[in-house]
Amino acid sequence: MSTAVSIIIPTYNERDNIIALVRRIDQALSNYEYEIIFIDDSSNDGTAEVAAALSPKYPVKVIIRQNKRGLASAVVDGLGYVKSEVIGVMDADLQHPPEVIPQLLKEIGSGADVAIASRYVEGGGCQGWGLMRRIISKGAIFLAHLLLPSTRKVKDPVSGFFMINRRVVGNTELKPTGYKILLEILIEGEFQSVAEVGYTFRTRSGGESKLNARQQIDYLKHIYSLMRRKGELVRFAKFCLVGLSGILVNMGLLWLLTEFVGLFYLLSAAISIESSIISNFILNDFFTFPDRRLPGAKSFFGRLLKYNLVCVAGLGVNMGVLWLLTDFLGIFYLVSELGGIVAATLWNYTLSILWAWK
Ligand SMILES: Nc1nc2c(ncn2[C@@H]2O[C@H](COP(=O)(O)OP(=O)(O)O)[C@@H](O)[C@H]2O)c(=O)[nH]1
Ligand SMILES: [Mg+2]
């Protein structure tokens, strides 16, 4: 016997998968001491009964919660019942092949605090997924990487199949919404190293998926809640404030240079646009992205150059949207410009956070 591991499995109407699942876990973990904790949200197909009937032969515990309260919260509740220092989480429907568990254990054994079975590293994939499902999955991960920068080092931060050391979640209060418990742990947990192990997400073995549009909305709510908790919403608000200050710099200089210095207004405009870009940059560097400043003058000018390019392209985005809305949708040009400003702000922010202040 080596490492002891507790495996938490949330279930809702998975009767047809439970026996095969437990057998395969037992086989995969024949060299380990383990326990399985099912957190069942009062399935009405007898899932809990099937699981409980296995307990004389296998180390299985079944916790029944009243009402269907969601996958991620089921895992959080499950943490209260584990007895091992190493904790695994997986689905019940055999989309997560139990044979991968020993590989995750190996990563934990070699020092990883979090080991993730990942669809998006070498050796990973998704069986039988259509284009739409792939786009949604990748889009969800892109959004997490964009809006929660600390998840960027993980290729599959929304995997439902992973293992952690108990101390990762020992001192944290987890408040997930919806499905993605790993995202919550990656943001709120305490850890040093994360390892990802490639695996193929299989097609469902029996029963049916509970994933629907509701979960997609919950995902957005979850990201919003994490952004709020981690100060990323405040960061975006600061970026918008700096943008407003840039308009003042731009208009003020345009007026001063044209009226008092006597420059041709287009020359004044060129100087005042560039000046506002530079003042925006300095304010953002100190005020919006203080945590992203790398030491050294070179990186300062590198960031300035990148931000400048972002803003010039942003001007193109602004004018493109203005043109589209006005010429193709027949919207009054001053109203279209509001759309142009929103689009350019989103563009500037996205590129700033992904590139200029990476
Ligand atoms: N306890 C609990 N488990 C759930 C709930 N919703 C889904 N599950 C379980 O979570 C796992 C993944 O759900 P599934 O519907 O297969 O999601 P998909 O793989 O993304 O389509 C399965 O083991 C489900 O039985 C829920 O509300 N409560
Ligand atoms: Mg599934």
Side-chain angles (χ1 to χ4, degrees):
M1 292 285 168
S2 52
T3 334
V5 55
S6 299
I7 298 176
I8 298 174
I9 306 180
T11 54
Y12 188 72
N13 290 351
E14 300 287 358
R15 180 192 56 207
D16 297 339
N17 297 318
I18 298 295
I19 293 175
L21 173 74
V22 171
R23 280 202 189 124
R24 276 172 63 182
I25 293 177
D26 187 71
Q27 234 161 34
L29 293 180
S30 54
N31 292 324
Y32 298 88
E33 191 183 324
Y34 77 92
E35 63 171 350
I36 299 175
I37 297 155
F38 285 106
I39 308 291
D40 187 67
D41 277 0
S42 299
S43 296
N44 51 30
D45 71 344
T47 298
E49 290 76 6
V50 173
L54 292 170
S55 65
K57 191 162 171 222
Y58 299 97
V60 167
K61 268 189 215 161
V62 183
I63 311 300
I64 300 175
R65 303 198 304 172
Q66 296 309 313
N67 306 321
K68 186 171 184 294
R69 302 216 300 274
L71 195 168
S73 89
V75 174
V76 174
D77 282 357
L79 292 171
Y81 296 93
V82 299
K83 60 176 193 208
S84 315
E85 287 307 308
V86 179
I87 301 166
V89 174
M90 67 190 295
D91 290 352
D93 53 10
L94 294 168
Q95 296 196 275
H96 298 156
E99 295 68 32
V100 177
I101 302 172
Q103 283 169 262
L104 297 178
L105 273 167
K106 216 170 114 201
E107 294 295 340
I108 296 280
S110 338
D113 298 309
V114 180
I116 301 170
S118 172
R119 295 162 295 177
Y120 301 116
V121 294
E122 211 185 309
C126 299
Q127 196 180 46
W129 273 23
L131 184 64
M132 204 54 209
R133 184 108 203 247
R134 272 174 211 279
I135 291 174
I136 290 175
S137 172
K138 287 275 191 175
I141 292 173
F142 174 76
L143 219 54
H145 284 167
L146 172 67
L147 299 171
L148 301 164
S150 67
T151 63
R152 285 181 197 163
K153 52 187 179 292
V154 177
K155 294 274 186 292
D156 195 353
V158 296
S159 174
F161 189 10
F162 58 93
M163 202 166 273
I164 56 172
N165 272 311
R166 190 208 282 259
R167 63 173 178 272
V168 171
V169 291
N171 299 315
T172 44
E173 195 196 343
L174 300 172
K175 291 178 280 187
T177 310
Y179 255 44
K180 304 304 181 188
I181 179 64
L182 177 60
L183 193 62
E184 178 80 15
I185 291 174
L186 289 174
I187 298 289
E188 294 287 19
E190 288 167 22
F191 56 88
Q192 298 292 326
S193 65
V194 179
E196 288 185 83
V197 172
Y199 86 104
T200 302
F201 186 82
R202 303 286 152 79
T203 49
R204 223 174 205 283
S205 161
E208 49 190 58
S209 170
K210 286 95 208 167
L211 186 69
N212 54 34
R214 162 93 194 276
Q215 269 85 44
Q216 324 263 7
I217 292 167
D218 279 350
Y219 180 67
L220 297 180
K221 284 191 193 159
H222 192 194
I223 289 207
Y224 178 83
S225 149
L226 289 167
M227 283 179 76
R228 192 167 41 78
R229 282 184 259 162
K230 290 293 134 183
E232 292 296 330
L233 279 186
V234 174
R235 193 200 294 280
F236 182 63
K238 285 178 175 174
F239 189 83
C240 293
L241 268 182
V242 169
L244 283 177
S245 82
I247 294 176
L248 291 182
V249 170
N250 186 343
M251 306 280 275
L253 264 184
L254 178 62
W255 179 67
L256 282 174
L257 293 176
T258 311
E259 299 296 325
F260 296 94
V261 183
L263 296 184
F264 180 53
Y265 78 98
L266 285 181
L267 179 60
S268 306
I271 296 173
S272 51
I273 289 173
E274 182 55 29
S275 303
S276 67
I277 290 177
I278 292 173
S279 77
N280 278 1
F281 172 77
I282 292 171
L283 287 175
N284 276 326
D285 209 48
F286 284 92
F287 178 57
T288 314
F289 298 106
D291 51 331
R292 308 287 182 75
R293 285 202 309 269
L294 303 167
K298 193 170 157 227
S299 63
F300 178 87
F301 288 109
R303 291 196 298 277
L304 175 59
L305 179 66
K306 285 178 180 170
Y307 180 71
N308 232 304
L309 291 173
V310 167
C311 289
V312 170
L315 211 61
V317 170
N318 188 329
M319 290 173 63
V321 170
L322 173 63
W323 177 67
L324 279 175
L325 294 182
T326 309
D327 266 41
F328 288 86
L329 299 183
I331 296 172
F332 182 53
Y333 73 98
L334 286 181
V335 179
S336 302
E337 178 56 2
L338 293 178
I341 290 173
V342 169
T345 305
L346 291 178
W347 162 272
N348 283 355
Y349 189 67
T350 303
L351 271 288
S352 289
I353 200 164
L354 282 184
W355 189 47
W357 285 276
K358 194 174 170 183

